[in-house]
Amino acid sequence: MRLSSFDYNLPKELIAQKPATPRDHSRLLIYNRQNQTTQSDFFYHLPNYLGPHDVLVFNNTKVIPARLILTKPSGGKIEIFLLKPFTKNTWRCLVKGKISENTSLTLANYGPVGKIIKKLANGQCLVDFVLNGKKLTNFLNHHGQTPLPPYIKTKDTQKTRQAYQTVFAKKEGSVAAPTAGLHFTHKLLTNLKKKGVQLEFITLHVGLGTFQPVKTKNIKEHQMHKEYVAIDKATAKRLNKYKKECQRIIAVGTTSCRALEALSDKKGYLKSAHKEINIFIYPGYKFKFINSLITNFHLPKSSLLMLVSALVGRKSILKTYNEAIKNHYRFYSFGDAMWIT
């Protein structure tokens, strides 16, 4: 469980800066856990492998333009990154720049935006905004920037925003995209339905900590951040029915996987809930609900790499990643996909 055991070297040129066009034309590396073999294909061929016995579970969260560049009374600029709501008007934010409590924040050609009301640990603070609800969402859509991961150097344009949003995004609240879902197009979803594949949607609002590397030398000492999950009663009932009928539950992304596993009991029964979770899945974990996972290639020393290592085995996943590197697969958020069967 040493952190160094989850490291690997990735050439910078394999870090994808933009998605495949069309988005379902990304490559797909299929890993068979039963015989420990791999095969290469394209993502748009996914329906060729699925049928009425399969269930795909998607995360329908929607990324909000959570980064704001604001001005302090001194005239200095400050970057505010909205993480999650604290009360109706107040958000927990990550701040870049010197701050003090009761500092008013304004936006040029707009006016007052909010005030820093409390400093927190790790560069975070509570910001009380003058707007809330739909009005704040509209303000962010107009004045905010999409919080792309730091390894993506693409500018925040309307085209980039669209590329960093799944076609089925519905529930606003994420500060990062559930990237495995980015490979799906409306046409591909239609083709999956024609094959009889069941499509189900749950919500997990992705937090900033998802893509941050683990820093404790012993990974068991790592503390996961909390993320909001919503699975309604009707969806949970259907998913439990599929599970009881031994249909294959395929989580689309680690976010869907975490939500399903966190809300399942030891017997594999999924409960409906609207709550925060902070499940940490690493090798040794026994999966209770999912049978399969569609995911991207993850950063070294990240909790997401540890999650897929729990499903495949650490040595096997690193061997497969090295194979992907050798075959010039594209990595991270805008990169290619991996399907663990």
Side-chain angles (χ1 to χ4, degrees):
M1 291 303 144
R2 291 177 301 174
L3 178 60
S4 58
S5 298
F6 296 89
D7 198 8
Y8 68 92
N9 293 315
L10 179 71
K12 288 184 178 180
E13 62 268 21
L14 295 184
I15 300 175
Q17 295 300 313
K18 58 183 180 180
T21 307
R23 58 174 70 197
D24 63 356
H25 279 51
S26 58
R27 296 170 71 190
L28 177 64
L29 182 66
I30 305 171
Y31 180 85
N32 187 309
R33 284 183 291 160
Q34 188 171 357
N35 54 28
Q36 297 184 350
T37 58
T38 59
Q39 70 179 96
S40 291
D41 207 329
F42 288 95
F43 203 85
Y44 59 83
H45 283 149
L46 185 63
N48 295 343
Y49 300 94
L50 302 178
H53 65 291
D54 292 309
V55 182
L56 288 172
V57 185
F58 299 88
N59 181 7
N60 65 2
T61 188
K62 191 171 186 178
V63 181
I64 59 174
R67 181 181 285 119
L68 290 168
I69 307 298
L70 302 175
T71 304
K72 298 183 289 185
S74 63
K77 298 294 183 182
I78 187 169
E79 182 177 311
I80 301 290
F81 193 111
L82 283 73
L83 297 177
K84 62 180 180 180
F86 188 75
T87 63
K88 188 177 181 180
N89 282 71
T90 306
W91 278 67
R92 179 184 287 267
C93 299
L94 184 66
V95 181
K96 285 186 179 180
K98 293 183 178 180
I99 60 169
S100 57
E101 294 180 357
N102 297 316
T103 298
S104 298
L105 305 171
T106 60
L107 179 67
N109 301 319
Y110 181 86
V113 172
K115 178 186 291 187
I116 296 173
I117 58 173
K118 187 176 182 180
K119 293 176 67 174
L120 304 173
N122 302 317
Q124 297 183 20
C125 67
L126 294 180
V127 176
D128 192 34
F129 288 95
V130 297
L131 302 172
N132 60 59
K134 193 65 179 177
K135 290 183 179 180
L136 179 58
T137 300
N138 291 337
F139 172 81
L140 292 173
N141 286 331
H142 190 69
H143 299 287
Q145 299 175 15
T146 301
L148 295 172
Y151 50 77
I152 294 178
K153 307 304 179 183
T154 309
K155 291 184 179 180
D156 178 32
T157 63
Q158 193 61 39
K159 184 178 181 180
T160 305
R161 286 191 186 190
Q162 187 176 3
Y164 197 60
Q165 200 81 264
T166 64
V167 298
F168 46 81
K170 186 177 180 180
K171 308 288 186 179
E172 293 177 328
S174 276
V175 298
T179 54
L182 296 178
H183 302 283
F184 290 85
T185 61
H186 290 297
K187 181 180 179 180
L188 180 56
L189 293 172
T190 298
N191 289 339
L192 288 165
K193 289 179 183 178
K194 288 179 179 178
K195 291 294 295 286
V197 180
Q198 302 296 323
L199 310 183
E200 296 291 343
F201 297 87
I202 61 177
T203 304
L204 182 146
H205 291 325
V206 188
L208 184 65
T210 296
F211 303 103
Q212 292 181 335
V214 175
K215 295 181 179 179
T216 57
K217 291 184 178 180
N218 182 343
I219 68 168
K220 291 183 178 181
E221 297 174 359
H222 175 66
Q223 182 64 44
M224 286 291 286
H225 59 287
K226 292 182 178 181
E227 297 170 308
Y228 175 80
V229 169
I231 301 180
D232 61 50
K233 290 182 179 180
T235 302
K237 184 178 180 179
R238 288 193 301 272
L239 286 168
N240 282 319
K241 177 176 177 290
Y242 300 143
K243 185 71 175 177
K244 189 175 181 180
E245 294 172 350
C246 295
Q247 297 198 57
R248 182 166 55 168
I249 308 296
I250 306 170
V252 178
T254 56
T255 58
S256 295
C257 173
R258 291 202 303 277
L260 294 171
E261 291 296 315
L263 297 185
S264 299
D265 62 22
K266 293 181 179 179
K267 295 182 179 180
Y269 180 81
L270 180 67
K271 301 174 184 177
S272 63
H274 296 72
K275 59 185 287 187
E276 287 190 328
I277 64 168
N278 65 338
I279 185 171
F280 181 23
I281 298 175
Y282 55 86
Y285 178 86
K286 303 298 181 183
F287 288 85
K288 300 171 291 185
F289 200 83
I290 75 158
N291 305 111
S292 179
L293 175 68
I294 294 173
T295 185
N296 281 25
F297 295 96
H298 303 295
L299 276 71
K301 299 182 180 180
S302 65
S303 62
L304 304 184
L305 180 59
M306 293 165 194
L307 186 153
V308 293
S309 296
L311 191 60
V312 175
R314 184 187 64 82
K315 290 183 179 179
S316 294
I317 200 68
L318 291 177
K319 180 181 178 182
T320 305
Y321 270 42
N322 285 328
E323 179 182 333
I325 292 169
K326 186 184 297 183
N327 289 287
H328 299 96
Y329 272 75
R330 300 162 70 247
F331 276 58
Y332 305 162
S333 295
F334 280 153
D336 296 315
M338 180 180 184
W339 177 26
I340 301 170
T341 67

